[in-house]
Amino acid sequence: MTELIKGSLILAGAIFMFLAALGVVRLPDLLTRMHATTKAATLGATLIMLAVALHFGQVAVVARAFGVILFIMMTAPVAAHVIGRAGYFVGSRLWSGTVKDELKPNYDPLTHRLKSHLETEANAARPPRDPEDAP
C-alpha cells in the first residue's frame, strides 16, 4: 500500500514539475511564466519530498524532507516576486492580453520607486495645495 502512495506522490510531483517546465515554454510573458513555475514546481517538489520521507521513514530523513519542503515554500514565492519585480522594472513587456497593470500608476520609471498603497491614499485624501500659501 505504501508503494502505491509513494508511486502516486512521485508521479504527481513529476507531472507538476513537467507542467512548470511547460509553463516556461508556452506562456507569453515573464510574469505569467513566474506564476506557473512558482506554483507548479513548488507543489511538485513538495510531493516528491513527501514520497522521499515516506520511503525512508527514518526520523532524520523525514525531518530533512520537511525542512526542504519548508525551505522551498518560504523561498520560492519570494524569489519569484523579486525576479518578476526586477523584470517589470527593466521594462519586460507584458502580454498583449494583459487586462490590468496595477503597478503602472504607482511606479516611477525614472527613480525606480514604487509609491506605497498608503502614500497613494494619503495623497488622494490631502486637499490640493494653494499656490499662494507656498513659502
Side-chain angles (χ1 to χ4, degrees):
M1 182 67 180
T2 58
E3 294 297 321
L4 182 66
I5 294 171
K6 290 187 288 190
S8 298
L9 286 171
I10 291 173
L11 182 63
I15 288 171
F16 277 107
M17 295 291 240
F18 175 73
L19 290 174
L22 194 62
V24 169
V25 174
R26 298 283 307 192
L27 290 174
D29 68 346
L30 175 72
L31 299 178
T32 55
R33 288 180 190 142
M34 293 305 302
H35 179 76
T37 56
T38 302
K39 302 285 183 184
T42 300
L43 185 57
T46 299
L47 292 172
I48 291 172
M49 291 310 295
L50 286 174
V52 166
L54 260 174
H55 177 73
F56 289 102
Q58 298 171 354
V59 175
V61 176
V62 172
R64 286 184 183 138
F66 281 113
V68 169
I69 290 170
L70 183 65
F71 180 77
I72 290 172
M73 294 247 183
M74 287 174 42
T75 58
V78 174
H81 173 80
V82 170
I83 292 169
R85 185 173 170 160
Y88 187 87
F89 287 174
V90 297
S92 175
R93 279 188 282 151
L94 298 177
W95 175 46
S96 61
T98 300
V99 177
K100 189 173 188 178
D101 182 2
E102 292 184 5
L103 281 180
K104 192 171 189 172
N106 297 319
Y107 174 61
D108 182 8
L110 298 175
T111 62
H112 296 293
R113 291 187 42 90
L114 279 175
K115 288 186 253 175
S116 73
H117 179 66
L118 297 174
E119 273 181 55
T120 307
E121 284 180 357
N123 289 339
R126 185 178 300 143
R129 274 184 56 183
D130 187 10
E132 294 175 9
D133 294 338

